[in-house]
Amino acid sequence: MSEFKLDLQDTATAFADKSDSELKEKYRLFKMLNSPALNAIGMRAAKLALSIGLPVEGLIKTTIFEQFCGGETIEECETAIQKLGNANIGTILDYSVEGKATETDFDFTKDEIIRTIDRAKNDPRIPFAVFKVTGIAPLGTLERMSGKKKLDGKSQAKCERIHSRVNDICEYAAKRGQPVFIDAEDSWIQDAIDRMATEMMEKYNKGQAIVYNTIQLYRKDRLNFLRESRRQANKGGYILGVKLVRGAYMEKERERAIEKGYESPIHEDKTSTDEDYNEAIGYCLKHLDEVAFVAGTHNEHSSQLLASRMHSLGIAKNHPYIYFSQLYGMGDNLSYILAKNGYNVSKYVPYGPVSDAIPYLIRRAQENTSVTGQVSRELELIQKELKRRKLS
Ligand SMILES: Cc1cc2nc3c(=O)[nH]c(=O)nc-3n(C[C@H](O)[C@H](O)[C@H](O)COP(=O)(O)OP(=O)(O)OC[C@H]3O[C@@H](n4cnc5c(N)ncnc54)[C@H](O)[C@@H]3O)c2cc1C
């Protein structure tokens, strides 16, 4: 039998809905991001300009924001929802406001997340909702909750408010049958997030996958955590929902471990992260009757591996418990080609006020910077398509 392989380098499909001028615009941006010096200067200048009130929001909005975000409001994301929907790609509305600190802000964010669930309801083009616990909770309290220290009265009250916001969102989602992801964050607050996510799954995942926790396979302990979560779900009689990612905060994790003098929770090298990621995919496939999972990755090999394992195991491409997922503006080759081939695909479409999306944009900028002098994965694909269209 010949080996099953998708052509994930087919840039004609990947960029089919980009006009020549949109593609050139994308090229200019990714070319700038690819240069570490330009990237750093651009990001520092943007942060400084915003902090001293210079009117640069418009400029950011029409450049980097436009590439990686759907708009500033749910309504502004309609174009993205439509465009992705035309290619059979689902949208995940991601209200990506970070760094807020007051209870009023947290309540506002919770209400906005509920609005994304309302928007998703009855629209098959929006298969999931998502939230970050740090968007609805103070960092310090999450850290104390994760440290398993006894909380004083004030922290206890904050902790109860966090818990009730998480529950409000999950309960609302469950009542509408709308699956929701809980993103994974820094390891020193993740215990609190995991505990709440597990409790929500116990409550709302009976016979259906509503709540999905996120597992960062760059952490040395997460394969075991995945196995343990599955056993717990099996014992508790609920479906385990998981989004598998490699992890976005590696540098920060390593720096903190050195600073505080503990062993870094992150794998020593990329190969170990990749091995655990692929192993996690295999584990979820093996337990597909009790685990619903999403492969949140731009890694071609992992995506190819998942597709070919599904093929060899005779699993339907559109099995409701398996989704591929990428971020808006990235991994379009995977999203568009997998969707064209009949797989379930969805993309995070971040949105929110430009100034609040800066931390998210910085992570995307860093991800697309070349550290080794090589051309980034995205830039390489854009260049290939420009050449194919005879535009370069
Ligand atoms: C749909 C979606 C949802 C996401 N949700 C989250 C989330 O909730 N929480 C979160 O943290 N991230 C999240 N991410 C980001 C994700 O964790 C990765 O940062 C990003 O996708 C890049 O990894 P990759 O799998 O695409 O592939 P690759 O580009 O192949 O891998 C890059 C990743 O490998 C790891 N890595 C790189 N170098 C090393 C090294 N030297 N040693 C060890 N590991 C290394 C890092 O995790 C790095 O991000 C999400 C991504 C997607 C697509």
Side-chain angles (χ1 to χ4, degrees):
M1 201 168 68
S2 66
E3 198 200 347
F4 176 85
K5 212 161 189 289
L6 292 166
D7 176 11
L8 295 174
Q9 289 284 322
D10 164 17
T11 57
T13 300
F15 299 112
D17 65 7
K18 299 268 173 305
S19 67
D20 289 354
S21 64
E22 282 169 341
L23 195 68
K24 282 187 195 160
E25 192 53 46
K26 203 171 165 77
Y27 172 73
R28 274 192 288 275
L29 181 82
F30 278 84
K31 179 99 180 132
M32 201 271 284
L33 296 179
N34 194 60
S35 151
L38 282 180
N39 189 324
I41 293 167
M43 283 300 145
R44 236 176 286 141
K47 265 204 279 190
L48 179 70
L50 281 170
S51 70
I52 58 173
L54 285 181
V56 289
E57 283 192 19
L59 181 65
I60 297 174
K61 189 169 180 181
T62 53
T63 52
I64 184 164
F65 182 86
E66 203 164 78
Q67 286 297 330
F68 294 116
C69 298
E72 292 197 75
T73 60
I74 295 178
E75 291 70 36
E76 281 186 20
C77 293
E78 292 302 328
T79 314
I81 297 171
Q82 178 86 43
K83 215 169 182 181
L84 293 173
N86 289 344
N88 284 327
I89 298 168
T91 287
I92 304 166
L93 288 167
D94 174 24
Y95 184 55
S96 34
V97 164
E98 296 184 30
K100 297 287 178 195
T102 70
E103 293 293 313
T104 316
D105 286 333
F106 298 143
D107 284 334
F108 181 87
T109 300
K110 183 199 88 177
D111 292 342
E112 182 65 24
I113 293 158
I114 297 232
R115 275 192 283 278
T116 64
I117 296 172
D118 272 334
R119 175 63 191 82
K121 193 179 51 166
N122 301 328
D123 190 338
R125 297 173 306 173
I126 312 185
F128 302 101
V130 64
F131 68 98
K132 271 194 169 47
V133 175
T134 49
I136 53 170
L139 262 176
T141 313
L142 288 172
E143 202 170 341
R144 275 190 288 279
M145 285 161 76
S146 296
K148 296 174 191 79
K149 282 190 208 132
K150 204 169 158 25
L151 302 173
D152 60 21
K154 210 169 140 201
S155 299
Q156 188 61 38
K158 282 190 183 169
C159 169
E160 277 159 25
R161 278 204 292 274
I162 296 171
H163 186 271
S164 106
R165 285 188 198 106
V166 170
N167 186 61
D168 286 353
I169 294 170
C170 297
E171 185 180 38
Y172 197 84
K175 281 196 176 137
R176 281 146 192 85
Q178 175 61 50
V180 60
F181 299 157
I182 303 181
D183 275 351
E185 306 189 57
D186 301 323
S187 59
W188 53 97
I189 58 166
Q190 191 60 37
D191 274 1
I193 299 173
D194 289 336
R195 279 203 301 276
M196 287 188 282
T198 303
E199 188 196 323
M200 296 301 126
M201 287 195 273
E202 268 166 21
K203 246 172 137 170
Y204 302 116
N205 283 15
K206 301 263 188 225
Q208 56 176 356
I210 291 291
V211 179
Y212 285 66
N213 195 14
T214 301
I215 301 200
Q216 297 158 312
L217 279 310
Y218 67 1
R219 279 181 58 170
K220 297 171 191 160
D221 63 350
R222 291 290 99 169
L223 253 186
N224 272 338
F225 176 76
L226 170 64
R227 294 185 187 114
E228 196 38 55
S229 301
R230 206 270 312 162
R231 279 184 216 114
Q232 210 174 324
N234 180 282
K235 236 164 81 189
Y238 60 91
I239 306 284
L240 175 71
V242 282
K243 166 160 61 84
L244 305 176
V245 302
R246 281 180 169 74
Y249 311 99
M250 184 174 75
E251 306 297 337
K252 205 169 149 196
E253 290 280 355
R254 286 183 171 155
E255 274 164 25
R256 188 175 189 270
I258 291 172
E259 194 190 304
K260 304 230 172 219
Y262 60 85
E263 187 193 326
S264 169
I266 309 301
H267 280 302
E268 303 307 327
D269 50 49
K270 173 85 164 56
T271 311
S272 311
T273 298
D274 291 344
E275 281 169 5
D276 275 12
Y277 191 89
N278 296 337
E279 179 87 25
I281 286 182
Y283 185 81
C284 291
L285 282 174
K286 191 170 155 205
H287 296 281
L288 201 54
D289 49 339
E290 45 187 323
V291 179
F293 76 103
V294 175
T297 183
H298 302 138
N299 184 293
E300 210 176 294
H301 179 256
S302 294
S303 306
Q304 189 76 255
L305 182 90
L306 174 53
S308 79
R309 290 257 179 94
M310 287 169 71
H311 176 78
S312 58
L313 292 167
I315 299 170
K317 288 175 175 178
N318 63 350
H319 190 290
Y321 278 8
I322 307 177
Y323 255 86
F324 292 80
S325 195
Q326 288 77 40
L327 305 178
Y328 190 68
M330 290 183 69
D332 280 347
N333 57 324
L334 305 181
S335 314
Y336 283 76
I337 294 164
L338 286 163
K340 194 178 171 188
N341 280 279
Y343 295 90
N344 292 326
V345 181
S346 58
K347 265 175 125 73
Y348 270 38
V349 175
Y351 76 94
V354 173
S355 56
D356 290 330
I358 296 291
Y360 177 84
L361 294 176
I362 290 175
R363 285 203 294 282
R364 298 293 79 77
Q366 284 167 346
E367 225 168 73
N368 286 287
T369 297
S370 166
V371 234
T372 54
Q374 279 175 342
V375 171
S376 77
R377 182 167 55 197
E378 298 296 329
L379 185 58
E380 200 174 339
L381 288 162
I382 301 166
Q383 281 173 332
K384 187 174 168 205
E385 178 60 6
L386 284 172
K387 221 179 203 162
R388 195 193 66 82
R389 292 190 196 182
K390 304 196 174 25
L391 295 171
S392 75

